[in-house]
C-alpha cells in the first residue's frame, strides 16, 4: 500500500495502461509541459512520446472528434477536456457520434474511448468552470458514466474506462485532485464498472452518493453514529450503469434512502435513483425517498454565495435526522 | 515609437494614464490573489495594456466590446469603473456583477463591455450576433472582439470570421498575439501563415502591428474603426505583444527560456509610451505623479473592497431567470 493523491493515482493508472497496451494514447491541451491541470499526465509525454501524449490546439470539438476517429481506427484514445464545462464545446461529437456509431452502423463500429472531463466546484472558479453535468450523459444511450471518489478508485476505474469498448465519460472531481488515500500498487487489475462501494455499513438509513459528496456523506455518517443513527453510505462510482443491486439490497435493510449529489438537484441523477427505489421497493420504505442536490442556480463566484450552493456534512446530517 | 502629428501629447498622456491604471489594477489583483483575498484565477494583462487602451480610445461610449479570460484591461479601457471591478474580484457587494462573476466574467454593460469569457472563442460568435443586432436596429455602432492567439484554433473563431464577412458586419476582431496559450507556444499547434492570413482568406482586411506601440495601435485602430463604421465590413487587427507574467497569477511560467521575460521588458508598452512622452516634453515629475496617482487610486479601491460587505445569501438566487426562478430551499 502506498499513500498518494487522487491525481497521482490517476496518473499511475494511466501509465500502467499505456505500458500494457501500446494503442492507448491521450490528446488534449497542455498535456506535455504542464502535465495536465493537476499533474495527472505529468512526465508521460517524456516517457511515451508525442504521438501518445498529444498536445493539441485549443480545439475541443476536434479533440473529441479525433478521439472518436482514433477509436474507430483501432486505438484507445483518451480525450482530455480539462473541465466538463469545456467538453460542452464537443457535446455534438460525443452524443451524436461517439454514442451512436456502434448502433447506427449495426455493430460494425466500436468506440473504445474515454472522454475525460473533470466536474465540480474547486473554489472560486465560478459559473463556467464548476459545473457537474453528469446527469446529462446518463441520459444518452451508448455512454458509460464514471465518477470516481477516491485515489484507489481513480486508478482502478480509469483503467477500466480505458479497457472498456464503449465510450466512457470519465468525470473526476476537481475538488479531489489533492485528496490522498491508500492505493495498493501491487493490485494492477481494473475495477469493475457498475459496481458500487459500500463506504460504511449501517442499519437505519442508506445514503447513496458519488464523487466529492462521498467524503461529505461519510463524515455526516460519523456524526449521526454518535447520535445513535446507523447510516450505510454507498458510493455509486459509476452512474451508468448504476449498481441497483447494491442500492436495493441496502434499502431493503434500512427502509430509508437519501440521495446526495453536488449537481443541481432538479433533473439530477438522484431523481432516477429515487424513482427506481420508490417504484420497486415501495413496501420496504418507511418513508419517502429524499434527495439533496445543488440549487438550480449557476455556481456563483463570491465565497459566501458559493458556500450557499455547496452541501455540507452538517446539512446532510440534518436531512438524515428528518427521517426519524 | 511611431510618431504622428495628430497625436497630441496630452491625448496620449491620457491614454498613458489609463495604461497605468490597468497596470496598477493588475498588480493589485495579483497581490490580492496571493494574499487570499481574490479567489479563483486571475489572468493579468500586464504587458499588453497598449492594445486595449489604443483601441478603446477610438471607440464611442455606445460601441460594444467582448473579451476573453484576460478581460480586466479591456474593461478599464472601455470605461468600466475600476473600483467596482476590484469589488467584483473580492466578491463583494458593489462589484460590477455583485460578486457573482469574479475576474473571469468581468463585465460592465453600462459602458458596452459585454463580458469577459471563461470559454475560449465564445466571444467571437457573440460578437457576430451583436453586430447583426446593430444592423437590425440601424445603429452606427461597432463591436470589438478581443481574442488570444490560442483561441484562433477553435471553430467558432473561423465560423465568426466567415459570417461577419458574408454579412459585412461591423466587427473589429482583435487578436492579442502574446504567442503563448497557457503553457503551449501557439505556433507549435497552429498551421498556416498565422492569424491575419486566416482573416484574409475570408476576404477580411487584416493588419499585423506591434501591439506594444501605443501610438501605432491608436492610429491603426482609428483607421480600421472608421472603415468599419463607414460600412466597410469586418476588419482584423493582429497586435503582437508579450505577456510579462504567467498565464494566471499562480503560474510561474517555467516553460519560458531563461531571460526571455526580462528581455521583453525593454519592449513593454508602458516604458515605451513613457519614453515617447518624455521626448514630447512631458516632465519626469508629471510621469511620476501619474504613476503615483494610479497606484493610490487602486490602493484605495483595494481598501474599499476589503471594507465592502459580502453579498446577502439571497443574492445567490436572483438573476437566474424570470420564468421558473429558483426559490431558496425549494426542491432541495
Ligand atoms: C474552450 C476552452 N478551452 C480551454 C480553456 C482553458 N484555457 C484557458 S486560457 C487558455 C489559453 C488561452 O490562450 P490565448 O487564447 O492565447 O490567450 P492568453 O491566455 O494568452 O491571453 C486555455 C487553454 C478554456 N477556457 N476554454
Amino acid at each position: 500500500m502506498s499513500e498518494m493523491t487522487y491525481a497521482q493515482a490517476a496518473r499511475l493508472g494511466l501509465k500502467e495502461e499505456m505500458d500494457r497496451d501500446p494503442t492507448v494514447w491521450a490528446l488534449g491541451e497542455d498535456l506535455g509541459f504542464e502535465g495536465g491541470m493537476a499533474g495527472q499526465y505529468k512526465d508521460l509525454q517524456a516517457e511515451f512520446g508525442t504521438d501518445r501524449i498529444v498536445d493539441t490546439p485549443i480545439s475541443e470539438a476536434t479533440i473529441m472528434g479525433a478521439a472518436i476517429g482514433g477509436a474507430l481506427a483501432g486505438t484507445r484514445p483518451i480525450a482530455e477536456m480539462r473541465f466538463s464545462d469545456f467538453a460542452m464545446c464537443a457535446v455534438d461529437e460525443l452524443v451524436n457520434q461517439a454514442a451512436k456509431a456502434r448502433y447506427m452502423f449495426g455493430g460494425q463500429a466500436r468506440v473504445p474511448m474515454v472522454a475525460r472531463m473533470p466536474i465540480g466546484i474547486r473554489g472560486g472558479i465560478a459559473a463556467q468552470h464548476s459545473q457537474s453535468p453528469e446527469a446529462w450523459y446518463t441520459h444518452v444511450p451508448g455512454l458509460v458514466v464514471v465518477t470516481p471518489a477516491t485515489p484507489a478508485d481513480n486508478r482502478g476505474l480509469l483503467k477500466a474506462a480505458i479497457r472498456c469498448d464503449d465510450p466512457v465519460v470519465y468525470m473526476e472531481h476537481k475538488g479531489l485532485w489533492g485528496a490522498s488515500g491508500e492505493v495498493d500498487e501491487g493490485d494492477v487489475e481494473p475495477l469493475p464498472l457498475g459496481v458500487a462501494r459500500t463506504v460504511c455499513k449501517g442499519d437505519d438509513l442508506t445514503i447513496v452518493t458519488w464523487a466529492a459528496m462521498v467524503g461529505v456523506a461519510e463524515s455526516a455518517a460519523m456524526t449521526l453514529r454518535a447520535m445513535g443513527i446507523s447510516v450505510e453510505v454507498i458510493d455509486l462510482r459509476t452512474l451508468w450503469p448504476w449498481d441497483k443491486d447494491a442500492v436495493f439490497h441496502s434499502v431493503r435493510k434500512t427502509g430509508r434512502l437519501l440521495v446526495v449529489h453536488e449537481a443541481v438537484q432538479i433533473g439530477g441523477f438522484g431523481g432516477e435513483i429515487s424513482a427506481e427505489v420508490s417504484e420497486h421497493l415501495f413496501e420496504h420504505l418507511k418513508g419517502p425517498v429524499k434527495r439533496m442536490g445543488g440549487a438550480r442556480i449557476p455556481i456563483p463566484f463570491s465565497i459566501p454565495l458559493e458556500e450557499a450552493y455547496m452541501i455540507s456534512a452538517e446539512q446532510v446530517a440534518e436531512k438524515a435526522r428528518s427521517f426519524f | 515609437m511611431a510618431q504622428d502629428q495628430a497625436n497630441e501629447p496630452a491625448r496620449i498622456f491620457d491614454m498613458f494614464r489609463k495604461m497605468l491604471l490597468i497596470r496598477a489594477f493588475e498588480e493589485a489583483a495579483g497581490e490580492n490573489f496571493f494574499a487570499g483575498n481574490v479567489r479563483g484565477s486571475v489572468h493579468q494583462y500586464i504587458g499588453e495594456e497598449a492594445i486595449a487602451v489604443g483601441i478603446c480610445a477610438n471607440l464611442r461610449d455606445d460601441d460594444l466590446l467582448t473579451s476573453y479570460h484576460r478581460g480586466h484591461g479591456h474593461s478599464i479601457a472601455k470605461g468600466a469603473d475600476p473600483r467596482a471591478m476590484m469589488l467584483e474580484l473580492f466578491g463583494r457587494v458593489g462589484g460590477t456583477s455583485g460578486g457573482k462573476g469574479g475576474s473571469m466574467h468581468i463585465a460592465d454593460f453600462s459602458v458596452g463591455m459585454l463580458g469577459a469569457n471563461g470559454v475560449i472563442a465564445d466571444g467571437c460568435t457573440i460578437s457576430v450576433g451583436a453586430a447583426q443586432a446593430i444592423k437590425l436596429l440601424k445603429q452606427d455602432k461597432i463591436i470589438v472582439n478581443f481574442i488570444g492567439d490560442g483561441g484562433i484554433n477553435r471553430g467558432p473563431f473561423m465560423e465568426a470570421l466567415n459570417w461577419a464577412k458574408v454579412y459585412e458586419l461591423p466587427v473589429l476582431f482583435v487578436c492579442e498575439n502574446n504567442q503563448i496559450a497557457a503553457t503551449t507556444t501557439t505556433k507549435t499547434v497552429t498551421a498556416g501563415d498565422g492569424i491575419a492570413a486566416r482573416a484574409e482568406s475570408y476576404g477580411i482586411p487584416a493588419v499585423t502591428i506591434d501591439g506594444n506601440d501605443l501610438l501605432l495601435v491608436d492610429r491603426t485602430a482609428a483607421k480600421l474603426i472608421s472603415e468599419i463604421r463607414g460600412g466597410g465590413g469586418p476588419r482584423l487587427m493582429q497586435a503582437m505583444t508579450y505577456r510579462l507574467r504567467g498565464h494566471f497569477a499562480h503560474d510561474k511560467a517555467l516553460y519560458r527560456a531563461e531571460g526571455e521575460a526580462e528581455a521583453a521588458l525593454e519592449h513593454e508598452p508602458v516604458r515605451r509610451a513613457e519614453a515617447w512622452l518624455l521626448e514630447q516634453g512631458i516632465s519626469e515629475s508629471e510621469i511620476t505623479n501619474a504613476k503615483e496617482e494610479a497606484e493610490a487610486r487602486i490602493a484605495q479601491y483595494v481598501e474599499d473592497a476589503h471594507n465592502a460587505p459580502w453579498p446577502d445569501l439571497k443574492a445567490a438566487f436572483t438573476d437566474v431567470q424570470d420564468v421558473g426562478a429558483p426559490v431558496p430551499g425549494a426542491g432541495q
Side-chain angles (χ1 to χ4, degrees), chain A residues 30 58-59 128 265 296 302 306, chain B residues 91 118 153-154 183-184 321 331:
Chain A
D30 299 295
I58 304 172
S59 305
Q128 294 174 338
Q265 179 174 314
R296 195 174 176 285
S302 185
E306 188 186 76
Chain B
N153 287 321
R154 268 205 73 216
T183 68
T184 301
Q321 61 196 105

Side-chain angles (χ1 to χ4, degrees), chain A residues 29 60 86, chain B residues 68-70 118-120 148-151 178 180-182 247:
Chain A
E29 297 152 20
E60 281 73 14
F86 307 158
Chain B
Y68 56 109
H69 50 278
R70 203 173 299 287
V119 187
I120 288 178
D149 44 283
N178 61 23
I180 194 152
H247 172 55

Side-chain angles (χ1 to χ4, degrees), chain B residues 70-332:
Chain B
R70 203 173 299 287
H72 305 161
H74 307 135
S75 305
I76 292 176
K78 189 68 178 70
D81 173 8
R83 180 180 182 278
M85 286 173 60
M86 190 60 77
L87 267 59
E88 184 65 26
L89 264 59
F90 274 67
R92 306 300 173 106
V93 170
T96 36
S97 302
K100 284 159 84 164
S103 163
M104 235 185 319
H105 309 301
I106 203 87
D108 188 346
F109 278 58
S110 72
V111 296
M113 197 301 184
L114 305 188
N117 209 312
V119 187
I120 288 178
D122 278 6
C124 303
T125 52
I126 291 171
S127 300
V128 162
Q132 289 276 167
I134 289 171
K135 222 174 138 190
L136 178 65
L137 299 172
K138 301 198 181 348
Q139 295 167 331
D140 69 341
K141 299 185 206 180
I142 74 148
I143 181 157
V144 181
N145 167 230
F146 286 95
I147 182 170
D149 44 283
I152 67 149
N153 287 321
R154 268 205 73 216
F157 173 69
M158 265 76 84
E159 295 180 26
L161 286 181
N162 178 62
W163 185 313
K165 181 59 189 171
V166 165
Y167 290 105
E168 297 290 4
L169 297 174
V171 187
L172 174 60
F173 295 97
V174 178
C175 181
E176 302 184 303
N177 189 348
N178 61 23
Q179 302 145 65
I180 194 152
T183 68
T184 301
T185 302
T186 298
K187 70 169 186 288
T188 63
V189 290
T190 306
D193 293 333
I195 294 149
R198 285 195 186 174
E200 282 163 354
S201 77
Y202 291 99
I204 298 176
V207 290
T208 298
I209 61 165
D210 176 353
N212 287 359
D213 182 339
L214 176 64
L215 279 83
L216 184 58
V217 175
D218 174 40
R219 206 171 43 191
T220 310
K223 176 172 178 288
L224 297 178
I225 289 167
S226 84
E227 288 169 1
I228 296 167
R229 215 185 293 284
R235 295 287 185 273
L236 182 137
M237 179 199 288
Q238 171 175 218
M240 302 306 296
T241 187
Y242 188 85
R243 143 160 88 58
L244 288 172
R245 297 296 163 83
H247 172 55
F248 29 46
H250 48 296
D251 167 22
K252 297 194 189 77
L254 299 174
Y255 39 81
R256 278 186 168 149
E258 212 176 312
E260 185 187 304
E262 291 71 19
L265 281 176
E266 204 184 310
H267 309 287
E268 71 96 358
V270 169
R271 278 197 202 182
R272 285 170 65 184
E274 180 176 330
W276 185 85
L277 289 167
L278 289 170
E279 274 170 34
Q280 301 302 306
I282 305 283
S283 70
E284 296 264 5
S285 69
E286 280 174 288
I287 302 263
T288 311
N289 287 346
K291 286 185 179 170
E292 283 171 5
E293 194 192 317
E295 279 158 22
R297 267 180 79 182
I298 296 296
Q300 181 61 52
Y301 302 154
V302 168
E303 197 182 321
D304 293 350
H306 273 294
N307 296 329
W310 291 102
D312 189 276
L313 296 191
K314 285 205 285 287
F317 297 87
T318 60
D319 285 321
V320 178
Q321 61 196 105
D322 289 339
V323 180
V327 180
Q332 276 176 270

